[in-house]
Structure formats: C-alpha cells, structure tokens
C-alpha cells in the first residue's frame, strides 16, 4: 500500500508539473502575440499606457485599422466576433484607465444587437484574478476552471501555437500592434460566388444603447472618434440601413467629445477587400491613410 501511495503521489506531482508547464507555455504564446484576445485584455486591464490611442471594435476594427500608420502610440484592441455591446464595455474600461489620447471606436454598419445581456467573445482568462474584471463579466465566464493555472488553457495549445506561428511567418496575415491584417485577396470567380450569396442588411440600435452612450459621453473629457468603414461594392448596393445609420451618426455628433468619421462611401473596388465586410492589406493601408 505504501509503495502504491508513493507511486500515486509521484505520478500526481509529475502530472501537475506537466500541466503547469503547458500553462506557462500557453501564457507565453498568448502574451507574445499582440493579436491574441488574451494579450489584448491583459494589456487593457493590466498595463494600458495612459497616452495610448486605443482602437476598439469587432473584426472590422482588428482587420481594417493599421496602428503603425496611425501613430506610434496606437494599439488595436479589436476582436473577431465582438459586437458593439462588448465594444462599449471595453470603451468604459479604457476610459476608467485615464489619459487624454483619443479613442477610435469602430461602428459596424449593421449596428447594435438587441438590448439585453451582452454576448462577450474576448478571452479574459489572464485577468480573472482582477475583481473589477469579474464584476463586468457574466458568471459563466468566471468559472473556477478558467482561473486555475494548469487547467484554464487545457486543449488550447494547438490553436495558440498556430496563431503565434502565423503571426511570426505572416503567410496569410500580418500582425501590426494588435491588428490582424489579411494579406490575401479574392479572384473574380470567388467574388462572383460571394456576391451571389449576399442578402440585404440594415442598421439597428435600441434606445437602451443610446441611453448608455449618452451617459458615457457626458462623463468623460476624452475625445472619442466613431468610425464607419467601407464594405464591398455589392454589399453596399444591397445595404438598406443608410438613412437609419446617418440619423444615428447625426445624433452621435451632438454629444460632447464625440466625433463621427463616416467613410462608408469610400469608392473601394473588390481588390481592396478580403470579403464583403473586411478589407485586405491593400485596403487596410488605403483606409487607414484616408
């Protein structure tokens, strides 16, 4: 029995050592890649520079804005799949960090989700020991297994390693201070297939979101710049929300410290796009410079 207990204890210690080693490797891969959502949340909630020009938003932020062309102080916090509700949550977090530099907020041309609980896609696992972070997250994102080293990144090594390698090699994407810029473009045949599948899209924003934005605008002196970027020609032809979007932008412009930059009508051809709503590297550089 004693030999069994010694064997079991040795095996357990070995397993714990492996798990902790893999955890440290995952943390290193995530923090070494500025494009990872975990790196962005750690930077925002732990080491955010007060004079930084933050870029917030969805994949249209992370894939369309080139920080190095904007300013040496710019960093892209955009995250794929993130909605305007999460963007507002992070905007409030940035404002709480202080500073006077402008904040760029991507505004998706389809608008905001229905009012209610906010769906979050960010990876907050590296900052879950912060009570302020846990207070803003739903309970299902603050589970004990997401906070325990050795367990929190179980099964994540392959995607984290793949993302790190892709950022280093730059075969399909180029990483630029948090931005993930698409290097590839589409052929005319691919665009024909994509365009045939497109459907009309509009703009929506519930009154509850406007109340929240109104309150936020009146409690900061920091300039907030709302930016609407372009979409592919066919997507723009089918877009039905232009009047609603312009009305919302007009309302935003009446609020203190809010600036609106509407670049949705830029005459970019399909050669500048990776897909109907995301630019490629050529489009990114033109858009950021414009």
């Amino acid at each position: 029995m004693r030999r069994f207990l010694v064997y079991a204890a040795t095996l357990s210690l070995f397993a714990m050592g492996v798990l902790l080693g893999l955890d440290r490797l995952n943390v290193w891969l995530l923090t070494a890649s500025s494009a990872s959502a975990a790196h962005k949340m750690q930077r925002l909630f732990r080491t955010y520079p007060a004079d930084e020009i933050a870029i917030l938003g969805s994949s249209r932020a992370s894939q369309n804005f080139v920080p190095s062309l904007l300013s040496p102080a710019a960093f892209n916090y955009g995250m794929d799949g993130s909605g305007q509700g999460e963007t507002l949550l992070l905007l409030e977090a940035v404002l709480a960090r202080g500073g006077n530099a402008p904040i760029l907020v991507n505004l998706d041309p389809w608008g905001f989700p229905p009012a209610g609980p906010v769906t979050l896609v960010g990876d907050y696992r590296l900052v879950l020991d912060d009570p302020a972070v846990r207070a803003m997250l739903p309970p299902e994102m603050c589970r004990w297994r997401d906070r325990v080293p050795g367990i929190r990144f179980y099964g994540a090594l392959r995607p984290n390693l793949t993302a790190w390698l892709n950022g280093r090699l730059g075969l399909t994407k180029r990483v630029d201070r948090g931005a993930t810029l698409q290097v590839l473009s589409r052929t005319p045949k691919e665009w024909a297939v994509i365009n045939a599948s497109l459907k009309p899209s509009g703009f929506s924003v519930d009154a509850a979101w406007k109340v929240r934005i109104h309150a936020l605008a009146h409690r900061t002196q920091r300039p907030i710049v709302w930016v609407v970027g372009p979409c592919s020609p066919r997507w723009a032809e089918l877009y039905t929300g232009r009047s609603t979007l312009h009305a919302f932008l007009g309302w935003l412009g009446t609020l203190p410290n809010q600036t609106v930059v509407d670049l949705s009508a830029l005459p970019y051809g399909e050669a500048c796009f990776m897909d109907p709503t995301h630019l490629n590297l050529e489009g990114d550089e033109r858009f950021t410079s414009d």
Side-chain angles (χ1 to χ4, degrees), residues 239-261:
Y239 185 53
T240 62
R242 192 158 284 106
S243 60
T244 312
L245 170 63
H246 288 169
F248 177 71
L249 294 178
W251 173 80
L252 270 178
T254 66
L255 300 178
N257 310 305
Q258 311 298 300
T259 301
V260 173
V261 179

Side-chain angles (χ1 to χ4, degrees), residues 17 20 46 57 88 102 160 174 176 179 181 188 192 194 212 221 265:
L20 290 174
R46 290 273 172 78
L88 280 185
N160 289 340
R174 182 181 299 174
D176 184 311
L181 312 175
I194 292 171
R212 187 168 172 180
Q221 298 296 317

Side-chain angles (χ1 to χ4, degrees), residues 10-96:
T10 303
L11 185 61
S12 298
L13 289 173
F14 175 77
M16 290 177 61
V18 170
L19 288 174
L20 290 174
L22 289 174
D23 186 86
R24 290 180 65 85
L25 178 57
N26 275 290
V27 171
W28 184 85
L29 291 170
L30 290 169
T31 54
S33 174
S34 68
S36 76
H39 173 99
K40 293 178 181 184
M41 295 303 95
Q42 184 185 54
R43 180 185 179 96
L44 193 154
F45 289 101
R46 290 273 172 78
T47 62
Y48 177 78
D51 60 346
E52 183 174 79
I53 300 174
I55 303 167
L56 306 177
S58 64
S59 56
R60 280 172 56 83
S62 67
Q63 297 182 33
N64 289 2
F65 293 83
V66 185
S68 62
L69 293 181
L70 283 173
S71 167
F75 187 87
N76 197 320
Y77 289 94
M79 296 185 293
D80 292 1
S82 183
Q84 297 288 168
E86 187 169 20
T87 298
L88 280 185
L89 196 68
L90 297 183
L91 175 57
E92 292 171 344
V94 170
L95 291 174

Side-chain angles (χ1 to χ4, degrees), residues 12-263:
S12 298
L13 289 173
F14 175 77
M16 290 177 61
V18 170
L19 288 174
L20 290 174
L22 289 174
D23 186 86
R24 290 180 65 85
L25 178 57
N26 275 290
V27 171
W28 184 85
L29 291 170
L30 290 169
T31 54
S33 174
S34 68
S36 76
H39 173 99
K40 293 178 181 184
M41 295 303 95
Q42 184 185 54
R43 180 185 179 96
L44 193 154
F45 289 101
R46 290 273 172 78
T47 62
Y48 177 78
D51 60 346
E52 183 174 79
I53 300 174
I55 303 167
L56 306 177
S58 64
S59 56
R60 280 172 56 83
S62 67
Q63 297 182 33
N64 289 2
F65 293 83
V66 185
S68 62
L69 293 181
L70 283 173
S71 167
F75 187 87
N76 197 320
Y77 289 94
M79 296 185 293
D80 292 1
S82 183
Q84 297 288 168
E86 187 169 20
T87 298
L88 280 185
L89 196 68
L90 297 183
L91 175 57
E92 292 171 344
V94 170
L95 291 174
R97 305 292 292 182
N100 299 307
I103 304 169
L104 273 60
V105 181
N106 169 75
L107 178 60
D108 292 325
W110 45 86
F112 291 72
V118 177
T119 300
L120 305 179
V121 302
D123 189 342
Y124 299 87
R125 284 176 289 184
L126 292 178
V127 290
L128 284 179
D129 57 340
D130 186 336
V133 174
R134 294 199 302 273
M136 69 177 241
L137 298 176
E140 61 270 19
M141 295 187 70
C142 302
R143 297 169 298 190
W144 67 270
R145 63 176 177 269
D146 292 325
R147 300 167 58 185
V148 178
I151 299 176
R152 55 185 174 175
F153 294 116
Y154 180 77
L157 180 60
R158 179 179 292 182
N160 289 340
L161 180 59
T162 301
W164 178 81
L165 285 173
N166 194 43
R168 287 294 182 275
L169 299 176
L171 298 178
T172 60
K173 300 176 183 179
R174 182 181 299 174
V175 176
D176 184 311
R177 296 184 59 79
T180 306
L181 312 175
Q182 302 286 345
V183 175
L184 304 178
S185 57
R186 303 287 186 179
T187 66
K189 288 185 178 180
E190 288 176 318
W191 275 115
V193 174
I194 292 171
N195 290 338
S197 68
L198 292 178
K199 293 179 172 55
S201 177
F203 180 88
S204 63
V205 56
D206 290 344
W209 292 117
K210 296 179 72 172
V211 169
R212 187 168 172 180
I213 294 170
H214 184 274
L216 182 149
H218 282 83
R219 66 171 183 260
T220 182
Q221 298 296 317
R222 193 167 177 180
I224 299 173
V225 182
W226 297 79
V227 184
V228 186
C231 292
S232 71
R234 181 55 180 162
W235 197 96
E237 287 177 6
L238 296 173
Y239 185 53
T240 62
R242 192 158 284 106
S243 60
T244 312
L245 170 63
H246 288 169
F248 177 71
L249 294 178
W251 173 80
L252 270 178
T254 66
L255 300 178
N257 310 305
Q258 311 298 300
T259 301
V260 173
V261 179
D262 183 7
L263 301 176

